[in-house]
Amino acid sequence: KHLEYSLSSLPNRVFPNPKVALEQYPTSVHLTSSIVLTALSKNDAGPGTTILDLGCGTGMLGLGFALVRSDMVYLVDCDPEA
């Protein structure tokens, strides 16, 4: 719940004109927390790990991985408006 609370306090970015071809949609705080905590439980995230989010969109997943103290978090997107 701590991670979910921390994520919910961040500004909520959305795509004003989502591009269907790029599958742009917001990642909810609940879904982000679930993904990050699953990766953390498998030692795929957190201290000592590097995260690469290809197609990061609004960056919510990357922020979640940063909040659990992953060493490096890289966010890459082909859309300059992301």
Side-chain angles (χ1 to χ4, degrees):
K1 291 292 177 190
H2 177 68
L3 177 60
E4 206 166 316
Y5 175 78
S6 296
L7 288 167
S8 67
S9 68
L10 298 171
N12 190 11
R13 286 200 57 221
V14 296
F15 289 103
N17 298 307
K19 297 174 181 134
V20 175
L22 296 178
E23 298 181 18
Q24 293 177 333
Y25 52 87
T27 306
S28 72
V29 168
H30 179 73
L31 178 59
T32 299
S33 295
S34 178
I35 292 169
V36 171
L37 292 175
T38 298
L40 191 61
S41 73
K42 296 176 184 234
N43 296 319
D44 290 333
T49 64
T50 298
I51 303 297
L52 174 60
D53 183 0
L54 297 173
C56 64
T58 62
M60 186 62 78
L61 280 172
L63 292 168
F65 285 113
L67 286 171
V68 297
R69 298 191 175 135
S70 298
D71 288 354
M72 298 294 294
V73 180
Y74 296 95
L75 296 97
V76 180
D77 204 290
C78 65
D79 183 2
E81 296 176 17

